[in-house]
Amino acid sequence: MGWTRLLAALTLMLFAMPVAARGADPLPSWHDTGPKQAIMAYVGKVTAKGPGYVAPAERIAVFDNDGALWPENPVPFQAAYAFDEIRRRAPAEPALAADPMVQALLAGDMTTLLAGKHHDGLMHIMALTHAGMTTDEFNAAVSAWMNTARHPKFGRPYDQLTYQPMQELLRYLRANGFKTFIVSGGGADFMRVWSERVYGIPPEQVVGSSTRSRFETRDGRPVLVKTMDAVFVDDKDGKPVGIQQFIGRRPIAAFGNSDGDKAMLEYVTIGNPHPSFGMIVRHTDAAREYQYDVNPKSSGTLVDALKEAPARGWTVVDMAADWRTVFADTAPGKKADVRVTERQ
Amino acid sequence: MGWTRLLAALTLMLFAMPVAARGADPLPSWHDTGPKQAIMAYVGKVTAKGPGYVAPAERIAVFDNDGALWPENPVPFQAAYAFDEIRRRAPAEPALAADPMVQALLAGDMTTLLAGKHHDGLMHIMALTHAGMTTDEFNAAVSAWMNTARHPKFGRPYDQLTYQPMQELLRYLRANGFKTFIVSGGGADFMRVWSERVYGIPPEQVVGSSTRSRFETRDGRPVLVKTMDAVFVDDKDGKPVGIQQFIGRRPIAAFGNSDGDKAMLEYVTIGNPHPSFGMIVRHTDAAREYQYDVNPKSSGTLVDALKEAPARGWTVVDMAADWRTVFADTAPGKKADVRVTERQ
C-alpha cells in the first residue's frame, strides 16, 4: 500500500467512526435523563445505515429562538432592543420624542402600549425602530446595542444568555450532518446580525418575521431600506408557512417551547415520511432562569402544545431536572458572573 | 512524528492545495478566453490569503436561472409546464375547460393570453396551475411533467438542457468554498422540485418568485396549500430585495443574463466591502442555442445591463465564442442526441 492509499484509508476510517465513539460526551450540560437519551437515540437512528437512515441533505432541524435557545423574559430581547433604541434616540430627535406612543414608553406606561387587539402601540414602537433605515444602519444599531445592553435579571449581555445545553445540541446535530435553522417569531433581520457568531447559524439559515425592503440608490450606491410592507409573522401557523417559503422542504426535527411552536411541531412530526423528532423546552427553573407555563411575563405561553405532547411523542425537557447547566459560563470550572443554583 | 500527527499533516497538506493544482481543468467547457480567465483570477484572489481574501462564510454566489443556467426560449420552461398542465387537465375537468383563458390557451391564442399590462390571462393560467393544491401535489405534478415533457427545439427533457459551462462553474465555486444560490424570477417552488438533483443546489438555497401558502390539517395530517397570496416577484429590483429577505447577507458574486438581473448585479458589485464579481451570459449562439439581446422570443431582454457592464467591470460571456460546449452530452467523446455546431 503506497502512501497515498494508506493516507486515504486512514482518513476514511477516521471519518467513518461515529462522533460519539471518537470522543467525549457531546451533551455534557444535559443530565442523563429521558430527553438526552431520546435525542441521542434519534440521532443514532437517522445517521446509522438501516431502516431509519435519513440522507444528510434531508437532515433539516429547526429551532425556535425566544424561549428555546435563549430566554424571552421579562420581555423578548428584541423588544428590549426597541425600547432601548427609543430611549437612546428620543433626546436627539424631537419629532420622535413627541410621538404619543414614545411618550407612553418613556413614561413606563405599558398599558397604553399594549392596548388594542394587535398591541398597536407596541407595533408602532417596533416600526419606529425597525423600518425607515437601511439594512446596514439597522445592523450597526443592533450590534452597538448588543455590545452595551445588559439583561435586567442576569446582568450580562443578552448574547451571553444562550442556553448552553441547546448550544451543545446545535453542535451535536451539525456534527451528525444536520443543517440547523432558526424558525422564530422574532425578526429575521434582528437575529441575523449575531446568529452566526452566537449560534454558528448563518444568516441564510435564519427564518423569522420579516418585511419587504425597498431597493434604492443613495449617493451612487445600492442600499436596501427597511419598511413595514408585506409583514410576515413567523409564529403559530406562520411557522410551517415560513418553513415552506424560506427552506422549501420539510424538516425532520423541531425544537420549541411554546404554543407558538405547536404548528411547526405538528408539521415536522405528523405524517413525515422520515423518522422525526419534536421537543419542547419547558421553563420550570425559577432559580436558574424562569418558571412559567400558562402565565409567562410576556410571550411564551405553553398550554396546548404541552397537552398535545404525549400523543405526538414530543420530548418535553424539564429545564430544572434535565439541564445540568443553563448558561455557558456557569459551568463548573468556569468563572460565573451570575449566581445560580447548580444541580448535580 | 507519530502516525496520527503524520496523518494529520498529510491531510492538511492535501486540503491546503488549491483545487487547480490538484488536478484537471475545472472549467473544460469554457474556451480559454477572457471570461474563464476572469472567473479563475477572481476565485484565486478571494481564496488566497492576502488582501483580497474572503472568509468562506461570506462566499455567497447568486445565479439567475432562466437564460443563465438553462434556456428561456421559446418560453420560460415554467410557462411550458403551466401550458402542458392545462392541456393535460382540461379534458377531465369541465370547469377548467370552460375558463375563457384556458380556451384561449387551448386555441393557441397567445394574443388574448398576453393582453393587458400585467398579462392578466397568462397570470390567470399560472394561478390555475400553481395554486389551490398542496405543495406535495404540486411537487408530484412538476416531477411527472419533467419526466415526460420535451423541449420543442432540442427534443430532450428540460432538465437535460442546463448549460454545461455553468454546471462546471457551480461546481468550481463550491469546490472553492462558495455557497451557491439561485435567485430567479421563476417560481421558487417550481425550481425546488429538481434544483438539488439537477444543479446540486438544495431547496433552501433557491430564492424565487413566491406566494404565501396556507397551513391546514387534512385527514389528520398537516399540509401546506399553495395560494396566490402575498405574491413576491423576484425580478429586477425584487432580486436584491429577495436576497435580503431570503439570504440575509450580501453576495460577492452574481451571474445573470438579462435586464432582470441588473439590480442584483449592482447590489453585488457596487460598494461591496469584499472583492466582487458580476457576469452576464449573452445569448449569441443561434446554431447551438439562441441569439438575442433586444428581442428575445419571450423573456430575457438584455439592453440596459449590457450597456452598464463596461463601467461596472461586469464580465460578458459571448456564448458562441466563449463556450466550447453548451449542453452536457454534446461534449466531445459523449453521445450527442442533439446536432450542434461544436467550436474548437
Side-chain angles (χ1 to χ4, degrees):
Chain A
M1 192 181 275
W3 272 107
T4 311
R5 289 183 59 196
L6 178 65
L7 172 65
L10 287 169
T11 306
L12 273 175
M13 282 168 58
L14 185 68
F15 287 99
M17 286 168 70
V19 168
R22 266 187 264 160
D25 178 2
L27 301 174
S29 297
W30 294 71
H31 286 296
D32 193 24
T33 46
K36 177 175 178 173
Q37 292 161 10
I39 291 164
M40 296 188 74
Y42 174 74
V43 170
K45 177 160 88 176
V46 298
T47 55
K49 298 288 172 188
Y53 179 76
V54 178
E58 299 283 346
R59 294 182 203 156
I60 303 285
V62 288
F63 287 80
D64 175 50
N65 183 46
D66 295 310
L69 294 177
W70 73 4
E72 60 184 315
N73 270 300
V75 295
F77 296 179
Q78 188 175 358
Y81 166 73
F83 298 166
D84 286 352
E85 272 297 280
I86 294 289
R87 292 186 197 107
R88 180 183 71 80
R89 286 168 45 190
E93 297 181 36
L96 185 73
D99 184 294
M101 288 305 149
V102 169
Q103 293 185 337
L105 171 63
L106 295 177
D109 176 6
M110 294 306 285
T111 309
T112 297
L113 275 188
L114 295 175
K117 192 180 164 194
H118 299 289
H119 306 316
D120 299 335
L122 182 61
M123 286 302 105
H124 181 64
I125 295 292
M126 295 304 279
L128 288 172
T129 51
H130 287 73
M133 72 281 289
T134 69
T135 51
D136 286 344
E137 289 163 353
F138 177 76
N139 295 352
V142 173
S143 286
W145 174 81
M146 196 61 96
N147 285 336
T148 53
R150 296 293 179 271
H151 188 278
K153 173 169 176 173
F154 302 107
R156 68 170 84 173
Y158 288 93
D159 59 4
Q160 290 179 26
L161 289 171
T162 62
Y163 302 134
Q164 178 63 8
M166 298 304 284
Q167 289 274 17
E168 292 167 5
L169 179 53
L170 286 168
R171 284 194 291 268
Y172 174 59
L173 290 172
R174 290 195 290 255
N176 281 280
F178 282 77
K179 203 164 176 177
T180 53
F181 287 77
I182 290 175
V183 176
S184 169
D189 286 353
F190 178 78
M191 295 183 283
R192 284 165 166 167
V193 177
W194 42 265
S195 63
E196 188 158 45
R197 174 177 58 80
V198 172
Y199 295 129
I201 296 178
E204 60 269 24
Q205 286 162 225
V206 174
V207 179
S209 293
S210 61
T211 58
R212 204 162 282 170
S213 60
R214 190 173 63 241
F215 183 69
E216 281 184 17
T217 302
R218 291 187 179 177
D219 302 328
R221 296 194 164 203
V223 295
L224 289 160
V225 180
K226 285 175 65 65
T227 75
M228 291 301 282
D229 298 342
V231 172
F232 170 62
V233 179
D234 189 53
D235 196 33
K236 299 192 173 71
D237 284 7
K239 291 207 174 197
V241 171
I243 288 169
Q244 165 61 25
Q245 191 164 14
F246 287 80
I247 302 178
R249 69 171 137 203
R250 199 169 184 171
I252 62 169
F255 303 84
N257 71 293
S258 78
D259 289 347
D261 301 310
K262 186 168 80 76
M264 174 169 82
L265 286 159
E266 291 169 348
Y267 178 55
V268 169
T269 61
I270 304 174
N272 194 324
H274 297 299
S276 60
F277 189 82
M279 196 181 95
I280 294 171
V281 174
R282 192 173 175 188
H283 294 262
T284 54
D285 197 327
R288 296 189 298 177
E289 202 247 11
Y290 293 97
Q291 179 168 21
Y292 60 87
D293 279 336
V294 182
N295 288 312
K297 289 181 201 292
S298 61
S299 56
T301 302
L302 174 64
V303 176
D304 295 342
L306 194 61
K307 266 189 219 149
E308 197 173 323
R312 301 293 182 203
W314 298 337
T315 295
V316 177
V317 174
D318 177 330
M319 193 181 273
D322 295 321
W323 284 0
R324 191 184 302 277
T325 305
V326 174
F327 301 116
D329 48 2
T330 63
K334 289 190 184 170
K335 186 170 174 291
D337 60 8
V338 176
R339 180 171 295 272
V340 296
T341 305
E342 182 66 23
R343 285 164 176 266
Q344 291 303 337
Chain B
M1 190 182 277
W3 272 107
T4 312
R5 288 183 59 195
L6 179 64
L7 171 66
L10 288 169
T11 306
L12 272 175
M13 281 168 59
L14 185 69
F15 287 98
M17 286 169 71
V19 169
R22 266 187 263 161
D25 179 1
L27 301 173
S29 297
W30 294 72
H31 285 297
D32 193 24
T33 47
K36 177 175 178 173
Q37 292 161 10
I39 291 163
M40 297 187 73
Y42 174 73
V43 171
K45 177 160 88 176
V46 298
T47 55
K49 299 289 173 188
Y53 179 76
V54 178
E58 299 283 347
R59 293 182 204 156
I60 303 287
V62 288
F63 288 79
D64 175 51
N65 183 46
D66 295 311
L69 294 177
W70 72 4
E72 59 185 316
N73 272 301
V75 297
F77 296 179
Q78 188 175 357
Y81 166 73
F83 298 166
D84 286 352
E85 271 297 280
I86 294 289
R87 292 188 196 105
R88 178 182 74 80
R89 286 168 46 190
E93 297 181 36
L96 185 73
D99 185 293
M101 289 303 148
V102 168
Q103 294 186 336
L105 171 62
L106 296 177
D109 175 8
M110 294 305 286
T111 308
T112 296
L113 276 188
L114 295 175
K117 191 179 165 196
H118 299 289
H119 306 315
D120 299 335
L122 182 62
M123 286 303 105
H124 181 63
I125 295 293
M126 296 303 280
L128 288 172
T129 51
H130 287 73
M133 73 280 290
T134 69
T135 51
D136 286 345
E137 289 163 353
F138 177 76
N139 295 351
V142 172
S143 286
W145 174 81
M146 196 61 95
N147 285 336
T148 54
R150 295 293 179 270
H151 187 277
K153 174 170 176 173
F154 301 107
R156 67 170 82 175
Y158 287 94
D159 59 4
Q160 290 179 26
L161 288 171
T162 62
Y163 302 133
Q164 178 64 9
M166 299 303 286
Q167 290 274 17
E168 292 168 4
L169 178 54
L170 286 168
R171 285 195 290 270
Y172 174 59
L173 290 173
R174 290 196 291 256
N176 280 281
F178 281 77
K179 203 164 177 179
T180 52
F181 287 78
I182 290 175
V183 176
S184 169
D189 286 353
F190 178 78
M191 296 183 283
R192 284 165 168 167
V193 176
W194 43 264
S195 63
E196 188 157 46
R197 175 176 58 79
V198 171
Y199 296 128
I201 296 179
E204 61 268 24
Q205 286 163 223
V206 173
V207 180
S209 294
S210 61
T211 58
R212 204 163 283 171
S213 60
R214 192 174 61 242
F215 183 69
E216 281 184 15
T217 301
R218 291 185 180 178
D219 302 327
R221 294 192 167 205
V223 295
L224 289 159
V225 180
K226 286 174 65 67
T227 75
M228 291 299 283
D229 299 343
V231 172
F232 169 62
V233 179
D234 189 52
D235 196 32
K236 300 192 172 75
D237 284 6
K239 290 207 174 198
V241 171
I243 288 169
Q244 166 60 24
Q245 192 164 15
F246 287 79
I247 303 178
R249 69 171 136 203
R250 198 170 185 171
I252 62 169
F255 302 84
N257 72 293
S258 77
D259 289 346
D261 302 311
K262 187 167 80 77
M264 174 169 81
L265 286 160
E266 290 170 347
Y267 179 55
V268 169
T269 62
I270 303 174
N272 195 324
H274 296 300
S276 61
F277 189 81
M279 196 181 93
I280 295 171
V281 174
R282 193 174 175 189
H283 294 261
T284 54
D285 198 326
R288 297 189 297 177
E289 202 246 8
Y290 293 98
Q291 180 169 20
Y292 59 86
D293 279 336
V294 182
N295 289 313
K297 288 180 202 290
S298 62
S299 56
T301 302
L302 175 64
V303 176
D304 295 341
L306 195 61
K307 265 188 218 150
E308 198 173 322
R312 301 295 181 203
W314 298 337
T315 295
V316 177
V317 174
D318 178 329
M319 192 182 275
D322 296 321
W323 284 1
R324 191 184 302 276
T325 307
V326 173
F327 301 118
D329 47 1
T330 63
K334 289 192 185 170
K335 186 170 173 291
D337 60 8
V338 175
R339 180 170 295 273
V340 296
T341 305
E342 182 65 23
R343 288 164 174 267
Q344 293 301 341

